[in-house]
Structures are given as C-alpha cells and as structure tokens.
Amino acid sequence: MGTANMGGFGQRTGVPGRTASPWGRRPARVKISPVFLCIVAVAVTGGVATWQGYGNARFATFVFVFAAYFVVLCLHEFGHAYSAHRAGDAGVEARGYLDLNPLRYMNPVLSILLPAIWLIIGALPLPGGAVLVNRAAARSRWQASLISASGPLMNIVFAGLAMAAVGIWAPSDVDVLYGSHAVFWSGVSFFAWIQLAVALLNLIPVPGLDGYGIVEPYLRYETRRALEPIRPYGILLVLLLLAAFPPVRDGFSHLMNSIWSGLALPGDGPGFGQYNFQFWKH
C-alpha cells in the first residue's frame, strides 16, 4: 500500500520572478473512472442487501465489506497520487492516477490475490496497490512525507466514519449488537476494524510501508541507503512477524482492542461481522 519511489529528496526553488506555491502545482482535474463507480455500486448494493435482509445475509456482508475495502484501497492510492501531483510530480496525471481507476493502481497479485486470501483465512488484507511517484519533485521534506501519509489518512478517515456511525446509530447493549439491522452494523464494524488495522500497520516505520515513507525524508542519506534493500520485503516482514511471532501479534491485537473498547463500541461487532463475512464457514 505504499508508493514506488522514482527519485530522492531535495529542495527545489520556484521560477525566478514568480511566487512559488507551497504545493508547487495547481489542483488537477480529478476524473472518476466508471470502474471505480462500479465498485462503489457493488458496495452500496451489498450494504442495502444487509440492511434490508435480502437473500443470504452472510454473502451480502461479504459483498458489502469486500467491495468497500477496495473502494478505500483506490482512495488510499489516489491520496498518494494527488499529494505527489500537488508537490510537483507532473507524471502522476499522465500515468492516470488521478482518474480513480483501480486498474491503474493494482498489481494482480498484491492488490487482488493476496488481499482475497488474507481476508478469506481471517487475516488482515495489508497488501495492496502502489503508485509510482517522483519524490524528487517535492519542494520540501514535509511534502515528501505527506505523499506517504495521505494514503493511511484515507484509511483513518473511513475507519473513523464507520466507527462513529456504529457508535451513534447501531442499536447495542454495551458489548452486543442487536436489532433487525444487526447484520448490517456488524459489517460496518468489521469494515471499520479492517481500516483501522490497515492504517496502523501501514504507519509502522518499516521500509516499504507508508510509515517509513513519512520519516524517510528526515533520515540521513547513509541511513536511507542502508535501509533501501529492505524495501521490497517490508510488507512480508511485518506479515511474518504478525503470523509467527506471538509478542508482535498479541501486542497489535491488544492495541486494536484498546482503541475499540476505548471508544465504547460494541465489542462483538467486528467478530460478528467477520463471521458473516466468511459465509463459506459454518
């Protein structure tokens, strides 16, 4: 879910005699791809089906959450691209990253196959798309950091919106969801849980993840160069630690539970939502 780097970092100055914008470029005209709209439509259809109780409620939850996950994945990568464009990377628009077309962002393995497998087995779908940006175009280190931060920010925003909706409108009795729309709210809870987890994992400062991209501009050149070989394996390293190293797995689980319970959200919501999502299990 990170960004592929086409260049290093540096300071750039504006054209003599002109006042340079702190962003470097004017806002681009953002287009909305029909493919993206189709994914949104699928997510909405799944959400309506779970709300109304149409058909198989568990399959509807799967459609709702899986499509909604890919909607935010597109917005995550769009956030990287838009920030890079505003920072001065003219190639972003030419590569079609501002069209919200998921086919521009996605690697068939990293963006579709691995997330599907991880979600199916009940793990976190951390792998995702990646956009190719030129960080050397950024005029300042904070702009280069913002390019990386813009992606997880999308996950945080949608996690916050989903959690707020559950906290305000979901009928619950302390830790238990109930009512005729409990299946819908369980799906929203599971979606919020996924987005929160993906945001937190992406913010880990390991090369290859967005957290490292945020701090990288402030590291010494020698440090960046020494860590560069780790970049292709950063995501796999984090997933391996979560899967095979109990202290890391338990610590992350404790952090997630602490945030969820600290917001006084129904504790059974994400688990109920995951159960419904995995409709192929009894």
Side-chain angles (χ1 to χ4, degrees):
M1 281 194 162
T3 56
N5 188 10
M6 291 177 58
F9 309 97
Q11 302 292 330
R12 294 178 59 198
T13 58
V15 178
R18 298 183 183 179
T19 301
S21 164
W23 275 102
R25 294 183 64 83
R26 295 180 179 178
R29 181 179 178 183
V30 177
K31 302 176 183 178
I32 300 180
S33 163
V35 180
F36 176 76
L37 291 178
C38 286
I39 299 175
V40 172
V42 171
V44 171
T45 301
V48 171
T50 57
W51 179 269
Q52 297 292 347
Y54 293 144
N56 186 315
R58 295 183 66 192
F59 179 73
T61 301
F62 170 82
V63 172
F64 173 36
V65 175
F66 204 64
Y69 165 79
F70 277 103
V71 167
V72 180
L73 173 60
C74 293
L75 293 172
H76 176 111
E77 301 304 332
F78 171 81
H80 289 313
Y82 187 77
S83 295
H85 173 82
R86 294 297 306 275
D89 183 1
V92 165
E93 189 170 10
R95 287 187 287 274
Y97 293 156
L98 301 181
D99 295 349
L100 276 171
N101 186 342
L103 301 179
R104 305 280 192 184
Y105 308 138
M106 293 185 178
N107 176 289
V109 175
L110 291 179
S111 303
I112 299 175
L113 182 60
L114 284 181
I117 292 174
W118 281 96
L119 274 174
I120 286 171
I121 66 177
L124 297 171
L126 178 60
V131 293
L132 186 66
V133 300
N134 180 13
R135 293 177 181 274
R139 286 172 161 76
S140 63
R141 289 184 292 185
W142 72 265
Q143 288 180 338
S145 293
L146 188 58
I147 292 172
S148 292
S150 298
L153 182 60
M154 290 291 184
N155 298 104
I156 292 172
V157 167
F158 279 89
L161 290 173
M163 289 188 291
V166 171
I168 294 172
W169 292 300
S172 63
D173 182 11
V174 188
D175 288 334
V176 181
L177 290 168
Y178 67 89
S180 58
H181 303 303
V183 172
F184 170 80
W185 289 114
S186 73
V188 176
S189 297
F190 184 47
F191 169 77
W193 183 272
I194 291 174
Q195 295 305 319
L196 178 61
V198 169
L200 293 177
L201 288 173
N202 259 290
L203 290 173
I204 297 175
V206 171
L209 297 179
D210 292 326
Y212 177 74
I214 294 171
V215 302
E216 185 181 11
Y218 299 93
L219 300 177
R220 296 177 58 186
Y221 171 76
E222 293 79 8
T223 303
R224 299 200 304 267
R225 185 174 180 181
L227 293 174
E228 188 62 27
I230 304 175
R231 188 184 297 273
Y233 313 104
I235 291 177
L236 295 179
L237 175 62
V238 170
L239 293 177
L240 179 63
L241 289 174
L242 285 171
F245 195 55
V248 173
R249 182 182 65 241
D250 295 343
F252 184 77
S253 178
H254 177 72
L255 174 61
M256 289 288 296
N257 289 327
S258 297
I259 294 173
W260 196 266
S261 60
L263 295 172
L265 297 170
D268 74 327
F272 184 26
Q274 184 178 22
Y275 166 77
N276 289 327
F277 177 88
Q278 296 176 313
F279 66 93
W280 54 92
K281 291 185 177 182
H282 296 290

